[in-house]
Amino acid sequence: MSQASTIPSSIAPYANLPSANSKLFEAKAKKGITFDAIAKAIGKDEVWVAAAFYGQAKFTEEELKKVSEVLDIQHIELIELVGELGDHWWPNRGLGPMPPTDPVIYRLYDSVLVYGTAIKAIIHEKFGDGIMSMIDCKVTVERKPDPKGDRAVLTFGGKFLPYAKW
């Protein structure tokens, strides 16, 4: 599979990403590797790795070293790009316009609009008054064969956090 090795940094979702993240995407495209392959090589989950590429999670220096090895990037070059951000840089976990304009992201948003109240009611019935944490959450994406067309199965394994009473 031939892929471009440059990233259109002026368009979403790449616009406004730090230069280190653009470098990661360029190396990923040049190598033709998946998030899943990178994740397995560094011992992380593919959704978390993708989030880190998009600046929605933060690699440690050790993780950056492993990623640079997988993507054949000079580790020192990647560390310098990350260093330009400084220790004060933290992930931006709210990427994009609202409502979303990307069709896939919009459908995820739409699913919460359509089923959110029902899901909330069932969470309350099964767990009590509280929320599902997205901080302590594992997200997986699986492909499930189906005669009517393959299904995308999304699993959000979030920790339940009961509301405090005082």
Side-chain angles (χ1 to χ4, degrees), residues 23 29 37-38 50 53 58 69 87 104 111 114 122 128 136 143 145-146 155-156 161-164 166:
K23 182 75 173 174
I38 296 167
F53 268 62
K58 189 174 183 177
E69 290 168 1
D87 290 336
V104 174
S111 67
V114 173
I122 293 168
D136 188 354
R143 184 179 190 143
D146 187 285
T155 303
F156 290 82
L161 300 171
Y163 283 107
W166 63 96

Side-chain angles (χ1 to χ4, degrees), residues 3-53:
Q3 296 181 9
S5 60
T6 59
I7 300 301
S9 60
S10 62
I11 60 171
Y14 308 107
N16 302 319
L17 284 179
S19 56
N21 296 72
S22 295
K23 182 75 173 174
L24 290 171
F25 274 111
E26 288 171 6
K28 178 183 177 296
K30 186 175 183 179
K31 192 152 184 179
I33 192 169
T34 64
F35 286 121
D36 186 47
I38 296 167
K40 285 178 179 162
I42 71 167
K44 292 289 181 192
D45 181 82
E46 69 181 325
V47 174
W48 187 90
V49 169
F53 268 62

Side-chain angles (χ1 to χ4, degrees), residues 65-84:
K65 183 175 187 216
K66 291 177 183 178
V67 170
S68 67
E69 290 168 1
V70 171
L71 296 177
D72 299 322
I73 303 172
Q74 293 293 320
H75 180 243
I76 191 70
E77 180 184 356
L78 195 54
I79 292 297
E80 286 172 0
L81 288 172
V82 170
E84 291 173 9

Side-chain angles (χ1 to χ4, degrees), residues 91-155:
N92 177 5
R93 292 183 173 94
L95 198 62
M98 288 305 283
T101 55
D102 177 86
V104 174
I105 297 171
Y106 182 81
R107 291 296 172 246
L108 292 170
Y109 174 77
D110 186 36
S111 67
V112 173
L113 290 176
V114 173
Y115 296 107
T117 303
I119 293 168
K120 176 186 184 299
I122 293 168
I123 287 172
H124 287 310
E125 283 182 0
K126 292 185 177 193
F127 293 91
D129 189 21
I131 62 169
M132 181 181 76
S133 172
M134 292 309 290
I135 294 171
D136 188 354
C137 183
K138 282 196 75 160
V139 180
T140 58
V141 180
E142 302 294 329
R143 184 179 190 143
K144 181 179 175 186
D146 187 285
K148 295 184 205 174
D150 288 358
R151 303 294 174 157
V153 179
L154 309 175
T155 303

